[in-house]
Amino acid sequence: MNTVAALATVSLIASTAHAQVVQFDIAKRTAQQPNRQRLIRRDATTYEQSIQNDVNRGGYFATVSVGSPGQKLTLQLDTGSSDIWVPSSSSSVCTKSASSDGSKGGRGGDGESSSGDDEGCQLGSFDSSKSTSMKVVGKNMFNISYVDGSHSYGDYFTDDFDIGGAKLTNLTMGLGLDTDIPYGLIGVGYALNEAIVADTQLASSAYQNLPVQMMNEGLISTNAYSLWLNDLDASTGQILFGGVDTEKYEGDMSIINVQKDSQTNAFTSFIVAMTSLTANSPSGSDSLMTRQFPIPVVLDSGTTLSYLPTELAVQVWKEVGAVYDTYTQMAFVPCGMENSKGTFEFGFAGPNGPKISVDMTELVLDIAEGSEAPRFQSGQYKGQPICQFGIQNFTSEPFLLGDTFLRSAYVVYDLENNQIGMAKTDFNSTKTNVVPFASKGATIPSGTVVKNQVAATGSSEGSVAQPTYAASKGFQSAAGIVPALEWAHMVVVGATTVFMLAGSGLFLL
């Protein structure tokens, strides 16, 4: 992996098409239901495909076709990475069944096996020998690993790729020949975040990934897409390449700047400046504070939970009465907390920027879908079912806003202008009004650029005032608790919850 000379450059195809949109609907799939692809050509420029919310695997998945003739695979959609990669049918994770205890490899980490899900690559794998158009362009040059220790190594190759009826030719992808992850990814981030760039430390190594090639082949007019995940229990949602659906959000669309990576001084991830966090409940409101404001946070659909600086996360946990387990190093709450009327309002780019409220129904997550939840063994919640809390802590960057935040926001990712459009989501909207980007580099449709934006700094200087926790009683009333839970008195959840290490684990090293 000392050179990238073997990595072929994807051919540019000049586009004369008018502004176009490629659309994929999101449909929920529980672990017990089989994959069902739905391809519908809606008109001359719009395509629709089912993308599934798989709670157990911790992410949103799309069924695609790779190769010629096409082979069907279901891959995870990820705004936090930039490569498409597929597990090879010859990899050990795809050729063996699950272990006798039902556990499987991969980033989900929940250790649960559902009915019929006993093969290593239940969502599909790629047999390169059966594709007549497959060409290796980077032998042993694909190398990606994640913070939970999972990995995928192999080759870069080019081949046909079909998603939602939109077909691309000679798209560069990674082939996981040696991987412990039983499904692949559709990375739609910045090209400079590709695994080959991280490996070689050369910006010139970057190739045209999916959103760039969709633009170059005329499927969309600019390198941009919007994401509407809908609520946790929803059966439908949407990712829209090249356009915005104005019926999927409420109020105004605010446009804020993407921040450059502090280490590389380049645009590599969807980093925005988080500048406030407010807890609101029937009993009061609290402005939660940290000396690290403005915080650089990554908007990452490939991450199940959201991860804030510890100083801020502890205040959130106190508001809701969360229990921190030192063994798993995660916070948990009684499942009854999903009925709380409290919300957390996230603010971005300063006082003029967008503010997104997230309620507890999006933050209280089942530990094992379809299984009986374990119960607290001690403390004031003794006997109550345990659920995972959607806001956890990190001690250092990168801080992440994953699906527990993104479901409450309609987000437009504009990679051409390095901007993010953000508005309050309209849950379960049945209306649609797709507005394409007018041209390459055009501003986000129906959006307004925020004035006097604050940039992310990630500093840790100065002092911070503790909130009064006036909102805590309103949060905790749903669990039958009156006093706020003091940090020093947090109980330890029993070892039976070790398997609950959740989140998709899509945190690139």
Side-chain angles (χ1 to χ4, degrees), residues 97 101 115 161 165 167 170 196 201 246 257 305 331 337 352 354 374 376 386 449 463-464 475 482 497:
S97 297
D101 66 356
S115 175
F161 185 83
K167 186 173 183 178
N170 297 318
I196 188 67
Q201 297 296 301
T246 62
N257 297 327
L305 309 178
M337 289 289 291
N352 298 321
F376 285 96
I386 301 172
V449 177
S463 59
V464 58
F475 277 102
V482 176
T497 62

Side-chain angles (χ1 to χ4, degrees), residues 209-244:
N209 65 354
L210 178 63
V212 175
Q213 192 161 336
M214 290 179 76
M215 177 181 66
N216 289 334
E217 293 197 11
L219 296 172
I220 55 179
S221 61
T222 194
N223 187 2
Y225 53 88
S226 53
L227 190 63
W228 181 64
L229 297 183
N230 213 345
D231 65 34
L232 184 61
D233 298 321
S235 60
T236 61
Q238 178 190 90
I239 181 169
L240 193 64
F241 283 88
V244 174

Side-chain angles (χ1 to χ4, degrees), residues 274-297:
M274 178 179 162
T275 51
S276 66
L277 181 61
T278 304
N280 299 303
S281 82
S283 66
S285 296
D286 292 300
S287 294
L288 308 185
M289 298 299 296
T290 173
R291 58 180 57 87
Q292 291 178 267
F293 277 139
I295 304 169
V297 292

